[in-house]
Amino acid sequence: MEFISTLWLQFLATLPLFILILLGYLAIKVGRWQKTITDSLTKFTFYIAFPIMLFQIMSHFSEHSHIDITLLIVFFGSSFIVFAIGCVIASKIFKLNGSESTLFAMGGIYTNTVFVGIPIIKMLIGDNAIPIVAIIVIFNALILWTLASVSIEFVQIGKLSFRSVSKALKNVSKNPIIIGIFAGMLVNYSGLPLPTFINQSTKMVSDMTAPLSLIVLGMGLAEYKIRDDLVITAAICLLKLFILPMVTYILGKLLGLPLLELQVMVVLSSVSIAINCYMMARQFEVLQGPIASSLLISTALSSITTPLILSIMMQLPFTLA
């Protein structure tokens, strides 16, 4: 009964996500909105809303002063391992090109830390786990957006050299997401407080970014059929919901994470794919259908798999030392 109750609470926690996705879907299917509207809203979300949201987060970076480097190594180390596995699967099994392989692998590691991860961890583990999640949230977009951008730039340039690295980094530096992150960090470390009117304005945009992104996702889903590239979609969900938390658990055990931190890292890695990954797919015009479908399916499946993984992990041998 406790397990069923947990599943029901998790379903209620994710229900608003599905309602906003459905709203965007119906706007296209029932409202007959043109594709140009979806493209315009996607462009606004990527070039304005997301950078401002990340600027808002990073400008308050110092509020999370205690950063455990082991947590970052476990979470992002496991992400890099699964990213490499995903690239191999995409290229060798599905015969995808470089850019497609990058987005395939990114779908297997990009966790919805904010809009699904935080509510779920608060419900399953408790409020004392939230500061641990906050550390990951701070670095998540910075590291994974940079990883995806640099990978795709290398693929498009075609070879690895000092010139190609310089060009890739130059192009990445023009990415509005990266600009938003580093601008926020610059403000944070300058020690100068943001004027109230700027802080409030960026906070308002930050608050609307999540629902707007979900609506845009629903609009994008209306352009694709979930049954299209279903094998690729299933493989992405398998990487994200099962392989990533398994690798995270193993790495966390090897590095001796305490029980609470290990639980948080594994549960966080087991939740659904982030909306940011779909925004990447639209921005780079790669695997938009499979990424959109895997986002929707992984969100639904994680309502069952996440509490199941936590229950299994609690039964595994664990040593606090």
Side-chain angles (χ1 to χ4, degrees), residues 14-65:
T14 57
L15 187 58
L17 279 69
F18 286 104
I19 292 175
L20 291 176
I21 292 171
L22 179 62
L23 179 62
Y25 183 88
L26 293 177
I28 299 298
K29 287 295 187 180
V30 179
R32 304 290 184 181
W33 288 11
Q34 297 180 353
K35 184 178 181 296
T36 53
I37 297 178
T38 304
D39 293 338
S40 296
L41 281 176
T42 300
K43 190 173 183 179
F44 172 82
T45 304
F46 180 81
Y47 285 97
I48 298 178
F50 261 111
I52 291 177
M53 180 190 73
L54 293 169
F55 172 83
Q56 168 72 18
I57 293 173
M58 299 310 295
S59 64
H60 297 280
F61 179 83
S62 59
E63 294 176 7
H64 307 279
S65 55

Side-chain angles (χ1 to χ4, degrees), residues 84-101:
I85 294 172
C87 287
V88 172
I89 292 173
S91 61
K92 300 299 183 182
I93 297 179
F94 296 111
K95 308 300 181 184
L96 301 179
N97 63 35
S99 297
E100 292 170 339
S101 296

Side-chain angles (χ1 to χ4, degrees), residues 18 103-104 106-108 110 217 221 225-226 228-241 271-274 277-278 281 287-302:
F18 286 104
L103 262 295
F104 175 93
M106 193 58 59
Y110 210 138
L217 169 62
L221 283 173
K225 298 177 181 178
I226 289 183
D228 292 345
D229 297 316
L230 191 57
V231 176
I232 294 178
T233 297
I236 292 173
C237 291
L238 179 64
L239 280 173
K240 182 67 195 69
L241 300 180
V271 301
S272 58
I273 300 170
C277 194
Y278 176 69
L287 287 187
Q288 297 179 50
I291 292 296
S293 299
S294 59
L295 196 158
L296 184 62
I297 293 172
S298 68
T299 301
L301 288 179
S302 66

Side-chain angles (χ1 to χ4, degrees), residues 298-317:
S298 68
T299 301
L301 288 179
S302 66
S303 64
I304 298 174
T305 59
T306 294
L308 182 61
I309 287 172
L310 179 61
S311 299
I312 293 173
M313 185 174 62
M314 293 299 294
Q315 302 303 317
L316 294 176

Side-chain angles (χ1 to χ4, degrees), residues 18-271:
F18 286 104
I19 292 175
L20 291 176
I21 292 171
L22 179 62
L23 179 62
Y25 183 88
L26 293 177
I28 299 298
K29 287 295 187 180
V30 179
R32 304 290 184 181
W33 288 11
Q34 297 180 353
K35 184 178 181 296
T36 53
I37 297 178
T38 304
D39 293 338
S40 296
L41 281 176
T42 300
K43 190 173 183 179
F44 172 82
T45 304
F46 180 81
Y47 285 97
I48 298 178
F50 261 111
I52 291 177
M53 180 190 73
L54 293 169
F55 172 83
Q56 168 72 18
I57 293 173
M58 299 310 295
S59 64
H60 297 280
F61 179 83
S62 59
E63 294 176 7
H64 307 279
S65 55
H66 177 67
I67 296 177
D68 187 347
I69 190 66
T70 307
L71 290 176
L72 300 180
I73 293 174
V74 169
F75 189 82
F76 294 109
S78 58
S79 295
F80 292 155
I81 292 171
V82 176
F83 179 83
I85 294 172
C87 287
V88 172
I89 292 173
S91 61
K92 300 299 183 182
I93 297 179
F94 296 111
K95 308 300 181 184
L96 301 179
N97 63 35
S99 297
E100 292 170 339
S101 296
T102 295
L103 262 295
F104 175 93
M106 193 58 59
I109 67 171
Y110 210 138
T111 294
N112 195 333
T113 54
V114 177
F115 309 121
V116 177
I118 289 177
I120 296 307
I121 285 178
K122 183 176 182 180
M123 180 180 60
L124 294 180
I125 301 179
D127 290 341
N128 57 333
I130 299 304
I132 301 173
V133 182
I135 296 172
I136 301 301
V137 170
I138 289 171
F139 289 92
N140 199 45
L142 169 62
I143 293 176
L144 296 188
W145 269 100
T146 303
L147 174 63
S149 300
V150 170
S151 297
I152 289 179
E153 289 294 341
F154 280 152
V155 167
Q156 293 175 345
I157 292 170
K159 61 180 179 179
L160 184 61
S161 65
F162 177 79
R163 184 175 181 181
S164 65
V165 171
S166 299
K167 184 176 180 180
L169 292 177
K170 182 179 179 180
N171 290 337
V172 167
S173 68
K174 298 178 182 178
N175 186 307
I177 299 293
I178 304 302
I179 292 173
I181 291 171
F182 280 101
M185 292 182 69
L186 181 64
V187 169
N188 175 78
Y189 285 114
S190 70
L192 299 175
L194 282 175
T196 302
F197 67 92
I198 293 180
N199 192 50
Q200 290 179 343
S201 298
T202 56
K203 181 66 167 58
M204 291 170 68
V205 176
S206 180
D207 290 342
M208 80 174 188
T209 301
L212 177 61
S213 301
L214 292 167
I215 292 172
V216 170
L217 169 62
M219 297 171 72
L221 283 173
E223 301 174 8
Y224 308 102
K225 298 177 181 178
I226 289 183
R227 64 177 179 270
D228 292 345
D229 297 316
L230 191 57
V231 176
I232 294 178
T233 297
I236 292 173
C237 291
L238 179 64
L239 280 173
K240 182 67 195 69
L241 300 180
F242 296 100
I243 305 301
L244 181 61
M246 181 176 68
V247 173
T248 302
Y249 176 81
I250 294 172
L251 188 57
K253 285 277 289 180
L254 290 175
L255 294 180
L257 275 186
L259 179 58
L260 176 62
E261 283 79 355
L262 182 63
Q263 288 178 338
V264 173
M265 292 297 99
V266 173
V267 170
L268 190 61
S269 66
S270 73
V271 301

